[in-house]
Amino acid sequence: MNISEKQSRHDVFAGGIFIAIAAFFALQGLRYDFGNLFQMGPGFFPVVLACILFALGVTVVVSGLRNPPVATDGPLALRSIVLICLSLAIFAGGARSLGLVPVVLICTFLAAMASRRNSLGSAAIMSVVLAVLCYLIFKVGLAVALPTFGPLVGF
């Protein structure tokens, strides 16, 4: 098996994972009241996101089967893997204790630094913009119960 065949299999496998995760969340979301577009129930948002993830998974699988695979050379992007996983762990473990704004700032900065193309300045700008957008959408617009600044921040 050459490198290009392995890359094609990776795309199909990744798309399959997206589809499986989407199916799981759609089934879980359907256990709750769905509501409608104007009066969304608790199951509306997870089911809609699951449908989007499902469509993305199908797109990735089709792309992996159709497009000629591209050989990849170079080492494993360990820095990216570590920073993305760390970002997810901090968000999962620190959202309540840090609060919405600090956790989004930290996680976005770490995720942006996973790419070697981003500088410290561009990562900081992305972090601030995303934190402001999340505050406006989730706190002001949707009144999510997550604290803006948690007890660890001290505000």
Side-chain angles (χ1 to χ4, degrees):
M1 176 184 329
N2 62 28
I3 292 176
S4 61
E5 289 174 356
K6 285 176 75 173
Q7 183 67 29
S8 176
R9 287 186 183 176
H10 286 267
D11 289 345
V12 172
F13 184 67
I17 290 173
F18 289 170
I19 291 169
I21 291 171
F24 174 77
F25 279 101
L27 290 173
Q28 295 300 316
L30 289 173
R31 292 182 176 183
Y32 298 102
D33 180 37
F34 189 76
N36 59 43
L37 188 59
F38 299 107
Q39 291 186 341
M40 296 177 204
F44 185 88
F45 199 64
V47 171
V48 169
L49 287 180
C51 290
I52 293 169
L53 183 61
F54 181 84
L56 178 65
V58 169
T59 303
V60 171
V61 168
V62 169
S63 174
L65 294 173
R66 267 195 185 164
N67 294 337
V70 178
T72 57
D73 291 333
L76 181 65
L78 192 58
R79 170 187 168 174
S80 298
I81 293 170
V82 168
L83 287 174
I84 296 295
C85 290
L86 181 61
S87 175
L88 292 171
I90 289 172
F91 189 85
R96 294 234 181 257
S97 58
L98 290 171
L100 177 68
V101 172
V103 81
V104 170
L105 281 169
I106 293 167
C107 292
T108 304
F109 184 81
L110 289 174
M113 291 310 297
S115 172
R116 295 194 186 277
R117 296 180 183 164
N118 290 328
S119 67
L120 288 172
S122 67
I125 290 170
M126 282 187 256
S127 300
V128 170
V129 169
L130 194 57
V132 169
L133 286 174
C134 285
Y135 173 79
L136 292 173
I137 292 168
F138 294 109
K139 292 299 288 184
V140 175
L142 298 174
V144 172
L146 191 65
T148 304
F149 295 96
L152 285 180
V153 177
F155 289 122

